[in-house]
């Protein structure tokens, strides 16, 4: 059963990473962006009927918001595949997505304004935009340091145990893909029924918290080392911080996101510095108990 599920995951990942899929993605984003601009313009000039035009946005920045929304949906899907690679890679991917969410929120602030945009009504939006954009930039810089610190130490010296752990993470990733599909369908249904998508990223990050905890618990099966359990648990805490950030208003969204990457940086630096020492101490304790 486990082998069959891992094969399904491998096939999905191969299809997702194929050059053809990426070309279709790029084309789809361009088409959606241009179509959204056209629909908004038609609504503004009154060519879609009063009832439909009243339900549609009148600000062209909504088209940018839609394009980023679709791009983020793609990045979220790539995150589910990253979970099978390593805990640190998956954590980094979560921060990548959150930084893009902050950039998207920068456009959201302007999407609520009337066109043409004038300074008196844009003052608050500018503050929100600066806050979100600065937070995204700090996350980008923090991620550079975060990836630079990684040494990707294997969880176990046993090759077969590492392969079983990877297989278990692939099963978790498949469950996440299922949750992603459900959330995407629910969001699409919200668009069909009310022209507004239901919450997508917030519930998905909630699901990620449970997935991260599951990975931590499964990792204990292959290694009970204190430093590994602490690192994996700490990265799950960083996910909780991102989930709280998504529910908070500016500027707390950016502050919590930056706090999350700072915590992940400190955790990774401490792990890479002291893991060999703790591993040696645990080995000496094991020998002394014999």
């Amino acid at each position: 059963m486990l082998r069959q599920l891992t094969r399904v995951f491998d096939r999905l990942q191969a299809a997702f990473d194929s050059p053809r899929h990426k070309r279709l993605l790029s084309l789809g984003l361009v088409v959606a962006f241009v179509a959204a601009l056209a629909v908004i313009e038609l609504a503004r000039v009154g060519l879609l009927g009063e009832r439909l035009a009243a339900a549609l946005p009148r600000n062209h920045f909504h088209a940018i918001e839609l394009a980023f929304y679709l791009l983020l949906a793609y990045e979220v899907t790539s995150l589910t595949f990253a979970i099978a690679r390593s805990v640190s890679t998956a954590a980094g991917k979560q921060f990548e997505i959150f930084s893009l969410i902050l950039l998207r929120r920068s456009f959201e602030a302007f999407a609520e304004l009337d066109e043409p945009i004038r300074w008196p009504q844009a003052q608050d939006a500018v503050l929100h935009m600066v806050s979100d954009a600065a937070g995204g930039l700090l996350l980008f810089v923090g991620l550079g340091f975060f990836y630079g610190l990684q040494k990707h130490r294997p969880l176990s010296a046993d090759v077969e145990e590492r392969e079983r752990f990877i297989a278990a993470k692939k099963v978790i990733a498949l469950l996440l893909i299922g949750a992603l599909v459900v959330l995407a369908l629910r969001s699409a249904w919200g668009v069909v029924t009310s022209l507004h998508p239901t919450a997508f990223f917030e519930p998905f990050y909630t699901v990620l918290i449970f997935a991260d905890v599951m990975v931590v618990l499964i990792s204990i099966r292959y290694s009970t080392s204190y430093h590994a359990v602490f690192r994996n648990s700490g990265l799950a805490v960083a996910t909780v911080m991102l989930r709280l950030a998504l529910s908070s208003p500016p500027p707390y969204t950016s502050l919590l996101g930056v706090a999350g990457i700072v915590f992940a940086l400190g955790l990774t630096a401490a792990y890479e510095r002291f893991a060999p020492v703790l591993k040696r101490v645990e080995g000496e304790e094991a020998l002394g108990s014999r």
Side-chain angles (χ1 to χ4, degrees):
M1 181 66 176
L2 185 61
R3 289 182 179 178
Q4 293 176 342
L5 291 174
T6 55
R7 287 173 185 169
V8 171
F9 176 87
D10 291 337
R11 290 173 183 171
L12 288 174
Q13 186 174 26
F16 184 80
D17 292 335
S18 67
R20 179 175 179 272
H21 174 266
K22 292 180 179 179
R23 287 195 297 269
L24 290 175
L25 169 70
S26 177
L27 178 61
L29 290 175
V30 172
V31 170
F33 179 59
V34 173
L37 285 173
V39 170
I40 292 172
E41 183 60 27
L42 290 174
R44 285 173 61 89
V45 298
L47 295 179
L48 294 180
E50 293 183 3
R51 186 174 181 181
L52 181 59
L56 290 172
R58 300 299 183 92
N59 190 314
H60 290 91
F61 278 96
H62 279 282
I64 302 176
E65 185 182 344
L66 173 64
F68 265 86
Y69 191 92
L70 296 175
L71 177 61
L72 283 168
Y74 169 80
E75 292 293 338
V76 166
T77 306
S78 67
L79 167 60
T80 61
F81 292 106
I83 286 176
R85 290 198 288 272
S86 73
V87 175
S88 58
T89 299
K93 196 66 180 178
Q94 292 178 30
F95 283 107
E96 288 180 25
I97 293 171
F98 187 79
S99 66
L100 291 175
I101 289 175
L102 287 178
L103 293 183
R104 174 176 171 266
R105 287 178 60 145
S106 298
F107 290 106
E108 283 182 358
F110 280 94
E112 302 303 322
L113 303 177
D114 297 326
E115 290 188 290
I117 296 176
R118 296 181 176 85
W119 175 249
Q121 64 164 339
Q123 293 182 42
D124 292 337
V126 167
L127 294 176
H128 291 170
M129 183 178 184
V130 170
S131 171
D132 290 334
L137 176 60
L138 290 174
L139 282 170
F140 182 86
V141 174
L143 276 168
F145 288 107
F146 178 77
Y147 286 132
L149 289 171
Q150 303 299 330
K151 295 182 180 179
H152 298 289
R153 303 177 187 276
L155 185 69
S156 172
D158 190 292
V159 176
E160 291 185 0
E161 285 193 347
R162 291 205 301 268
E163 289 179 351
R164 285 196 291 268
F165 181 50
I166 292 173
K169 290 192 292 183
K170 287 181 178 180
V171 173
I172 294 174
L174 282 175
L175 294 174
L176 269 177
I177 292 173
L180 178 64
V181 171
V182 171
L183 291 172
L185 291 175
R186 191 183 71 165
S187 183
W189 180 250
V191 174
V192 172
T193 56
S194 63
L195 295 178
H196 293 287
T198 56
F200 176 78
F201 298 108
E202 293 85 350
F204 186 75
Y205 266 86
T206 301
V207 175
L208 275 179
I209 294 172
F210 292 101
D212 288 344
V213 172
M214 182 63 72
V215 171
V216 172
L217 297 178
I218 292 176
S219 69
I220 297 174
R221 161 68 177 80
Y222 305 99
S223 175
T224 57
S225 299
Y226 163 71
H227 58 278
V229 174
F230 184 86
R231 193 280 300 263
N232 294 343
S233 301
L235 291 177
V237 171
T239 304
V240 175
M241 296 176 72
L242 294 183
R243 175 63 185 87
L244 292 173
L246 286 172
S247 302
S248 61
Y252 299 104
T253 307
S254 298
L255 291 175
L256 282 171
V258 172
I261 192 63
V262 169
F263 174 76
L265 275 171
L267 176 67
T268 303
Y271 174 80
E272 298 298 345
R273 171 64 179 83
F274 298 112
V277 177
L278 294 171
K279 186 176 182 179
R280 176 173 53 80
V281 171
E282 290 175 355
E284 293 173 352
E285 290 177 349
L287 290 173
S289 62
R290 294 179 182 176

